[in-house]
Amino acid sequence: MQLVLGGGGGVKTSSMSTVSGEGNTAMSSEDSSSPDEAELELGLGLSLGGFKAQQTAVKTKYARILTAKDLPSGVSTSSSCTSSSSSTLSRANATAGTKRSADSVSAPNGASSQVVGWPPIRAYRMNSMVNQAKSVATEEYNSVIGKNKNNTAVLDKTNNGSNMNSNNFKVRTSFFVKVNMDGIAIGRKVDLNASGCYEALAQTLEDMFLRPIPTINAMRSSAPEHNLMVDATRCPKLLDGSSEFVLTYEDKEGDWMLVGDVPWGMFLSSVKRLRIMRRSEATGLAPRLQERNGRQRSKLI
Amino acid sequence: MLRMASSFPEEVLEHVFSFIYDDKDRNAISMVCKSWYEIERWCRRRIFVGNCYAVSPPMVIRRFPEVRSVELKGKPHFADFNLVPEGWGGYVYPWIAAMATAYPWLEEIRLKRMVVTDEALELIAKSFKNFKVLVLSSCEGFSTDGLAAIAANCRNLKELDLRESEVDDLSGHWLSHFPDSYTSLVSLNISCLGSEVSFSALERLVGRCPNLRTLRLNRAVPLDRLANILCRAPQLVELGTGTYSAELQPDVFSSLAGAFSGCKELRSLSGFWDAVPGYLPAIYPICPSLTSLNLSYATIQSTDLTKLVSQCQSLQRLWVLDYIEDIGLEALAAFCKDLRELRVFPSEPFAQEPNVSLTEQGLVSVSEGCPKLHSVLYFCRQMTNDALATIARNRPNMTRFRLCIIEPRAPDYITLQPLDDGFGAIVEHCKDLQRLSMAGLLTDRVFEHIGNHAKKLEMLSVAFAGDSDLGLHHVLSGCENLRKLEIRDCPFGDKALLVNAAKLETMRSLWMSSCSVSFGACKLLGQKIPRLNVEVMDERGPPGSRPESCPVEKLYIYRTVAGPRFDMPGFVWTMDEDSALRLS
């Protein structure tokens, strides 16, 4: 009789603690469990076809996603990382639009926590709001803001200073883009606003596409292995250069670019969708990237 | 008299049946006797399939051979909020492929939350010679290439409506595929498209289609081109503007105002992206005749909003952002006595502090002042039991009531009590309530109220509510007309489901995510009730790799006569007899 461990009680706990403010301290939201309940499960649980679990425990080697930072493109990279340094795996997972269990996470900097699909606003409407925030950064904005300043000054009841700009849709809205990976038929969606910077994005995508299915065995497997998994997934592997995959994006002009090249904000305003490409297919990109950056630079004021 | 049914020739009965459009009535007719069943099925022209997996294309075609209009719905409602993973299903292609041969005279296809590919659109374009209506509501999976195929081939197209679909927008060139000889457009909604269509192609299209009554433009159409378009279509009844923002210029303003004044039939307005208050007066002349106004993308403040709505005395439907504030809603209550539907969306759903002064009071005002108000969707940050009770007493004619308090589990902010009694009042007074979404802190008691009173309720949405299985049990055992139930993040487990298993076959579907339903219970349901598909969605891996008592992430149960489906992605498992054997 194979004993499959840890899943039951823990999952129950994590799925209950969805109110904002309750942080999820476990490594991964799916695998969190309190030891006591896990003990209970030990006695009662029976493995049912746990062969898959065995497989995933064995599978330790997995590909890593490269971004422009890893490639010797010679272009300076910057990523303004707005997510807190203590951002954990679970945060990236839970808010990256991946439809995993709707765990809330305590977002840093006092920002309101983001439960998946809450408040219940259609993705279409959310994207419109985000697009409005972006389009507002044009010259029309300035004439508009002048008028609205007057309006809000007159009306001001509950508005505090930081909210007086009515056109300022905060970046905290979701911005979902599609992600496809070569060799995987079904695409996913990721919330770029939940990532906040390239590291977090790469981490999220690595979890989505490259992480072996985390069953309870991942938790309870032999300690060294376990730590390996934890450590491996904790630090984003953007600095290695040893992966077979590259992260690319399609911009508004239809070109495919390496991710990581331009400032995060600029990336957000031009990205349409992402693709995790095999390295062998991406070799054409770097030169184009440089050439395009040349173009871009001359476009920028 | 026993022979009366057969004393009418078929043609007569068929003629009589042709006056019956409603699906329920048609279904009733078909159950009278075998010959009526036969006659009816040959003359049914329109079918509606609320869950595309409840029945299969061959089954539909076998029973109804002469269909002209098909409406299908795919993904569960919570897919709108990204709770259904990509790749779940809802593919329309198998339906189109089957209908391409079976219904060559098909005229109308309406889809909601389905995956539509360019191949499907191309197949539509070349298979149905008399194709007239294509409505894709919240669909995805296609690009503007598919639209080009439709534009180029559907000579008799009257309606192309892409509302809120996710389109792979390669370019705006597709619109130019409508041939110059094409003049039958009646309704065009491209508001969800991002890229620019050729303005001259658009103007020429609008100009040569005399029956055009609905035109919803996309954001890329600038304000200074709107007047030209309107001048070519003064017969328009429904208009969605593009960007409603430009530098204030007197000539632009006056031509816009003039163009609007020329549209004497205009009754519905939408669009208004990035709306600039300075250009709002351009629509004042037509405000008194407007019946529908969608300002939910307009970032204008309450002063301008108040001025605007105060002139819309005929308004029946208003969608608006919470910038309208309580003060604007009071004006609405005072001036818009014909109001039937109100939706207030949050401008900053993730802000911790309220950014506008919109409270429960606004909704109370509208409920007092607008006697015909029956449909409400209201996002706010605070609510009280008193307010809800007042609304309930004011508006016993309420049929759709959806409240969302931004903070989950928020109590009555004055008494700090759960909002059980408030919603209890709603279901008690509003005896015709069909749809309800609840919010705030709620215990099992609210479900008891619902089970006792909400006898006409058809759709219920619940989040972060309840204490125990008793809550779910009240709903399943009490709500006789319940068709759709969607639940997230509630402590509901196996007991209520298993006890009320038979109820599930009387409903269209049940969605439960982040609850406590165990894998074992799912298996049991799947095994015991063959005409239910019990689908478990779990991205942690096969549910069989965890203990039976382990709760599943997401559960979607729906009745079906088509058996389990075979187009599921790797993270969805059907619980049925076969799979139970496979997994054990």
Side-chain angles (χ1 to χ4, degrees):
Chain A
M1 172 178 96
Q2 260 174 329
L3 287 173
V4 172
L5 314 168
V11 171
K12 202 184 290 229
T13 320
S14 67
S15 73
M16 285 310 109
S17 61
T18 50
V19 180
S20 62
E22 289 177 56
N24 193 326
T25 52
M27 171 194 101
S28 106
S29 49
E30 295 78 16
D31 293 351
S32 68
S33 74
S34 57
D36 297 328
E37 294 181 83
E39 297 304 310
L40 261 174
E41 288 306 318
L42 240 180
L44 306 173
L46 277 177
S47 155
L48 302 159
F51 79 93
K52 207 57 195 274
Q54 294 285 36
Q55 262 187 349
T56 54
V58 163
K59 185 174 159 195
T60 49
K61 177 174 171 10
Y62 57 99
R64 194 176 69 66
I65 300 174
L66 295 178
T67 66
K69 283 192 193 163
D70 308 305
L71 302 171
S73 61
V75 182
S76 67
T77 60
S78 70
S79 69
S80 51
C81 190
T82 56
S83 60
S84 108
S85 52
S86 64
S87 125
T88 66
L89 199 70
S90 57
R91 174 177 187 272
N93 285 349
T95 58
T98 64
K99 334 308 183 306
R100 292 198 171 103
S101 59
D103 281 12
S104 80
V105 286
S106 62
N109 311 323
S112 59
S113 68
Q114 296 193 18
V115 176
V116 172
W118 192 265
I121 299 171
R122 279 194 173 178
Y124 173 80
R125 182 170 289 280
M126 300 276 240
N127 287 339
S128 283
M129 282 159 67
V130 171
N131 287 334
Q132 271 187 259
K134 287 189 233 152
S135 79
V136 149
T138 64
E139 41 213 334
E140 295 156 311
Y141 175 76
N142 294 324
S143 58
V144 168
I145 181 73
K147 295 184 192 353
N148 281 331
K149 263 189 181 150
N150 293 335
N151 285 343
T152 49
V154 165
L155 293 172
D156 206 313
K157 302 182 194 75
T158 58
N159 290 354
N160 52 29
S162 64
N163 285 327
M164 78 172 177
N165 177 1
S166 65
N167 286 329
N168 183 18
F169 285 112
K170 303 238 175 351
V171 180
R172 276 193 297 271
T173 55
S174 302
F175 177 32
F176 286 101
V177 294
K178 288 196 169 166
V179 194
N180 282 83
M181 176 161 164
D182 287 355
I184 295 184
I186 291 174
R188 306 296 301 272
K189 276 191 183 168
V190 66
D191 181 358
L192 294 181
N193 284 342
S195 300
C197 65
Y198 287 120
E199 280 88 7
L201 174 62
Q203 186 66 78
T204 302
L205 293 176
E206 282 172 34
D207 297 332
M208 252 191 226
F209 287 95
L210 304 177
R211 184 169 58 133
I213 299 168
T215 64
I216 35 289
N217 277 346
M219 274 282 287
R220 292 278 186 256
S221 51
S222 61
E225 221 178 279
H226 167 65
N227 288 334
L228 228 179
M229 293 271 272
V230 179
D231 294 340
T233 50
R234 263 198 190 282
C235 98
K237 294 194 173 150
L238 298 173
L239 314 166
D240 255 49
S242 62
S243 164
E244 63 175 283
F245 287 99
V246 195
L247 181 58
T248 64
Y249 72 101
E250 185 184 13
D251 69 5
K252 288 215 152 68
E253 292 172 32
D255 297 324
W256 286 92
M257 324 269 288
L258 283 173
V259 165
D261 219 54
V262 300
W264 177 256
M266 199 185 295
F267 166 68
L268 277 188
S269 63
S270 57
V271 62
K272 269 174 51 172
R273 57 180 162 168
L274 299 171
R275 179 172 158 205
I276 302 170
M277 219 182 264
R278 279 186 234 278
R279 194 176 218 211
S280 46
E281 290 193 32
T283 45
L285 284 184
R288 267 182 70 207
L289 174 63
Q290 279 170 323
E291 157 203 311
R292 203 166 113 98
N293 265 2
R295 269 192 278 137
Q296 250 180 7
R297 270 196 222 101
S298 58
K299 257 200 265 179
L300 294 166
I301 313 102
Chain B
M1 295 309 113
L2 278 170
R3 310 198 51 128
M4 204 135 100
S6 58
S7 65
F8 285 114
E10 268 186 33
E11 294 80 16
V12 174
L13 282 171
E14 212 179 295
H15 182 68
V16 172
F17 294 171
S18 69
F19 294 101
I20 317 270
Y21 303 110
D22 184 59
D23 285 334
K24 291 202 192 84
D25 293 338
R26 280 262 171 180
N27 291 343
I29 289 173
S30 67
M31 306 240 283
V32 167
C33 63
K34 278 203 173 131
S35 61
W36 280 35
Y37 177 92
E38 275 302 306
I39 298 167
E40 193 281 319
R41 78 181 186 90
W42 278 96
C43 69
R44 191 173 310 204
R45 297 282 175 262
R46 224 182 46 184
I47 49 166
F48 168 74
V49 181
N51 172 8
C52 64
Y53 291 118
V55 70
S56 71
M59 286 168 134
V60 173
I61 291 167
R62 202 163 45 233
R63 180 171 170 190
F64 300 114
E66 299 275 344
V67 164
R68 299 271 187 275
S69 160
V70 169
E71 184 174 347
L72 302 173
K73 293 190 180 178
K75 299 185 205 172
H77 173 235
F78 274 178
D80 286 352
F81 316 129
N82 291 313
L83 286 177
V84 177
E86 195 97 340
W88 173 84
Y91 305 106
V92 81
Y93 191 84
W95 287 86
I96 307 294
M99 295 191 299
T101 37
Y103 299 148
W105 297 111
L106 190 69
E107 294 177 6
E108 306 181 356
I109 295 177
R110 293 179 170 85
L111 306 174
K112 188 164 186 180
R113 284 190 211 101
M114 295 198 75
V115 177
V116 182
T117 57
D118 284 344
E119 288 76 30
L121 291 176
E122 281 152 23
L123 192 53
I124 291 173
K126 68 174 195 245
S127 307
F128 308 116
K129 300 292 168 234
N130 204 22
F131 195 67
K132 296 196 174 128
V133 171
L134 183 63
V135 177
L136 302 176
S137 177
S138 302
C139 294
E140 55 165 353
F142 61 102
S143 78
T144 41
D145 285 350
L147 297 179
I150 298 283
N153 294 296
C154 300
R155 309 265 161 86
N156 296 312
L157 192 71
K158 286 166 65 168
E159 196 172 322
L160 178 61
D161 187 338
L162 305 175
R163 57 180 86 151
E164 301 193 350
S165 289
E166 214 179 285
V167 185
D168 194 1
D169 207 336
L170 304 171
S171 86
H173 189 62
W174 67 274
L175 191 78
S176 312
H177 284 254
F178 282 112
D180 289 335
S181 55
Y182 169 74
T183 59
S184 45
L185 195 61
V186 173
S187 169
L188 181 66
N189 180 352
I190 54 168
S191 53
C192 63
L193 295 180
S195 57
E196 230 174 63
V197 296
S198 150
F199 301 134
S200 53
L202 179 61
E203 282 169 23
R204 275 181 284 120
L205 178 64
V206 168
R208 67 175 183 270
C209 295
N211 298 319
L212 189 66
R213 67 189 288 289
T214 300
L215 180 64
R216 307 266 188 212
L217 302 169
N218 63 338
R219 200 161 175 185
V221 177
L223 190 54
D224 54 18
R225 299 218 74 129
L226 188 55
N228 276 347
I229 294 171
L230 286 180
C231 288
R232 279 161 215 254
Q235 77 284 3
L236 271 184
V237 177
E238 300 182 324
L239 171 75
T241 73
T243 293
Y244 205 77
S245 163
E247 258 181 52
L248 270 186
Q249 284 168 343
D251 51 338
V252 175
F253 180 90
S254 59
S255 52
L256 187 61
F260 271 118
S261 307
C263 295
K264 307 270 185 243
E265 311 296 321
L266 211 44
R267 296 286 173 272
S268 165
L269 283 182
S270 63
F272 293 106
W273 283 283
D274 314 312
V276 170
Y279 275 105
L280 288 181
I283 65 167
Y284 286 173
I286 50 160
C287 280
S289 42
L290 284 181
T291 56
S292 170
L293 190 51
N294 182 353
L295 294 167
S296 61
Y297 297 102
T299 51
I300 40 185
Q301 300 292 285
S302 75
T303 317
D304 296 300
L305 284 170
T306 303
K307 220 187 299 181
L308 189 54
V309 303
S310 311
Q311 300 180 59
C312 302
Q313 297 91 353
S314 311
L315 204 60
Q316 295 179 15
R317 180 197 297 146
L318 176 66
W319 291 22
V320 71
L321 286 172
D322 56 10
Y323 289 131
I324 194 169
E325 300 191 321
D326 289 344
I327 195 169
L329 293 177
E330 274 160 34
L332 189 66
F335 292 101
C336 306
K337 294 304 187 184
D338 211 17
L339 194 72
R340 309 195 185 183
E341 177 182 329
L342 173 67
R343 296 196 189 188
V344 179
F345 296 97
S347 51
E348 289 188 18
F350 299 109
Q352 294 250 292
E353 297 303 314
N355 59 320
V356 290
S357 178
L358 179 103
T359 69
E360 77 278 11
Q361 192 46 52
L363 188 56
V364 171
S365 309
V366 182
S367 76
E368 265 162 20
C370 303
K372 297 197 190 157
L373 183 72
H374 68 86
S375 172
V376 167
L377 169 62
Y378 199 75
F379 282 83
C380 60
R381 288 188 151 87
Q382 62 185 48
M383 188 51 62
T384 64
N385 283 306
D386 273 350
L388 285 172
T390 306
I391 292 164
R393 280 191 309 268
N394 287 339
R395 295 273 61 79
N397 53 324
M398 191 72 71
T399 57
R400 303 172 122 72
F401 189 74
R402 296 156 71 188
L403 181 73
C404 178
I405 305 175
I406 302 275
E407 184 67 30
R409 302 201 183 92
D412 177 321
Y413 76 96
I414 294 181
T415 66
L416 299 183
Q417 294 298 300
L419 291 174
D420 298 336
D421 291 336
F423 281 103
I426 295 276
V427 293
E428 226 183 285
H429 291 271
C430 308
K431 302 210 188 299
D432 291 323
L433 196 68
Q434 283 172 19
R435 184 168 179 183
L436 177 66
S437 297
M438 303 194 291
L441 184 63
L442 298 163
T443 72
D444 283 347
R445 275 187 55 228
V446 75
F447 296 106
E448 199 181 335
H449 293 314
I450 292 174
N452 286 337
H453 295 283
K455 296 304 180 187
K456 299 274 180 69
L457 193 66
E458 296 181 12
M459 181 169 178
L460 178 65
S461 308
V462 186
F464 305 105
D467 311 310
S468 75
D469 269 54
L470 206 49
L472 181 56
H473 174 68
H474 283 307
V475 172
L476 289 177
S477 56
C479 297
E480 290 150 12
N481 281 296
L482 194 63
R483 292 189 298 116
K484 289 180 278 185
L485 179 57
E486 45 187 28
I487 302 173
R488 63 164 294 178
D489 294 273
C490 297
F492 299 145
D494 302 341
K495 287 195 226 86
L497 265 190
L498 293 173
V499 162
N500 292 288
K503 171 77 174 173
L504 298 176
E505 252 191 320
T506 69
M507 293 166 54
R508 182 188 294 176
S509 65
L510 166 67
W511 167 281
M512 291 178 77
S513 57
S514 304
C515 298
S516 310
V517 181
S518 74
F519 171 53
C522 295
K523 276 204 304 179
L524 202 54
L525 274 174
Q527 282 165 354
K528 293 293 178 215
I529 311 192
R531 279 187 313 210
L532 280 186
N533 274 359
V534 177
E535 292 184 9
V536 167
M537 265 171 267
D538 215 312
E539 292 183 85
R540 299 168 294 179
S545 61
R546 290 179 291 279
E548 289 229 345
S549 54
C550 183
V552 300
E553 268 179 8
K554 298 175 194 194
L555 174 62
Y556 185 52
I557 300 178
Y558 55 91
R559 68 177 174 186
T560 179
V561 292
R565 59 186 178 113
F566 299 108
D567 60 357
M568 296 180 296
F571 49 83
V572 180
W573 291 268
T574 297
M575 310 284 109
D576 58 13
E577 277 179 2
D578 303 327
S579 66
L581 290 167
R582 261 185 278 125
L583 289 166
S584 57

